[in-house]
Amino acid sequence: MRKLANAELDRKNIKEFKEAEKIPIIVVLDDVRSLHNIGSVFRTSDAFLIEKIYLCGITATPPNKEIHKTALGATETVAWEYVKNVLEIVQQLKSEKIKVYSVEQTENAIMLDHFQPETNTTYALIFGNEVKGVSQEAINLSDGVIEIPQLGSKHSLNISVSVGIVIWDLFQKISRSK
């Protein structure tokens, strides 16, 4: 098997990305500290054509040299917006009939492998701070909580890994239902 050259990957340019039909997923970052995590979220969001990223609280925003290191230009393709208060954007999204789910470990969380997205529905996924997770207030406003099943001793994943796992899972489920 021959490794493909970049020119063979059929990548979208910025204009093509912006015009492409998006997967109905919005990412909300709740007080994410690491600039590298933020950049990784942009890059994953670009890879799966998600609709938008909301950066909330202490989450840094582009342009930023450290975000750019991991985003590799995805801050130019993926739509994003800074909103100071995560609760305000959750309330706004819900008023727009977008289903809001926190990705966290809580009582009565739906395990990711059991979560079935509804067709013709947009989902906003809240990912939280590297130490404290999603704020309890944001969880309280959410339509539900999705938990990534974990079998090891740590029961903790890096936020950029969590975003990748959840977006990939929902991308597959949503793509199959079309």
Side-chain angles (χ1 to χ4, degrees):
M1 287 185 253
R2 178 183 63 82
K3 183 176 173 180
L4 296 175
N6 282 344
E8 296 176 276
L9 296 177
D10 193 30
R11 293 183 174 163
K12 292 176 176 25
N13 62 36
I14 294 172
K15 183 178 185 283
E16 291 168 334
F17 183 96
K18 294 207 180 274
E19 293 173 352
E21 181 182 354
K22 304 296 186 288
I23 299 300
I25 297 172
I26 295 166
V27 172
V28 178
L29 298 183
D30 181 15
D31 284 336
V32 173
R33 298 178 312 174
S34 166
L35 301 173
H36 294 281
N37 282 338
I38 297 164
S40 284
V41 171
F42 269 96
R43 200 155 140 200
T44 299
S45 297
D46 174 278
F48 295 104
L49 282 171
I50 69 109
E51 284 187 18
K52 189 170 187 173
I53 299 172
Y54 285 97
L55 307 167
C56 303
I58 65 167
T59 308
T61 62
N64 181 295
K65 186 172 89 171
E66 293 301 311
I67 292 173
H68 182 73
K69 276 184 188 178
T70 49
L72 296 178
T75 57
E76 303 301 317
T77 54
V78 179
W80 66 271
E81 183 178 336
Y82 176 78
V83 178
K84 184 176 174 77
N85 188 321
V86 70
L87 303 180
E88 289 176 16
I89 195 58
V90 169
Q91 289 170 328
Q92 177 187 319
L93 292 168
K94 289 180 72 165
S95 76
E96 295 170 8
K97 306 295 185 232
I98 294 169
K99 298 273 187 171
V100 178
Y101 280 81
S102 292
V103 178
E104 190 54 89
Q105 297 166 325
T106 68
E107 298 173 330
N108 303 314
I110 302 166
M111 290 297 167
L112 179 60
D113 53 328
H114 295 158
F115 181 77
Q116 289 301 318
E118 300 170 23
T119 54
N120 301 316
T121 302
T122 300
Y123 288 89
L125 305 168
I126 307 172
F127 295 88
N129 178 276
E130 292 87 344
V131 175
K132 298 178 181 176
V134 178
S135 69
Q136 185 63 55
E137 295 82 7
I139 290 169
N140 293 346
L141 282 179
S142 297
D143 294 304
V145 177
I146 297 171
E147 181 177 340
I148 301 169
Q150 298 174 58
L151 304 176
S153 64
K154 298 301 174 209
H155 288 272
S156 173
L157 294 167
N158 179 284
I159 181 179
S160 64
V161 172
S162 295
V163 169
I165 290 169
V166 175
I167 288 179
W168 168 246
D169 184 83
L170 267 63
F171 170 80
Q172 285 192 318
K173 291 171 181 173
I174 290 168
S175 296
R176 278 196 300 256
S177 69
K178 285 187 176 186

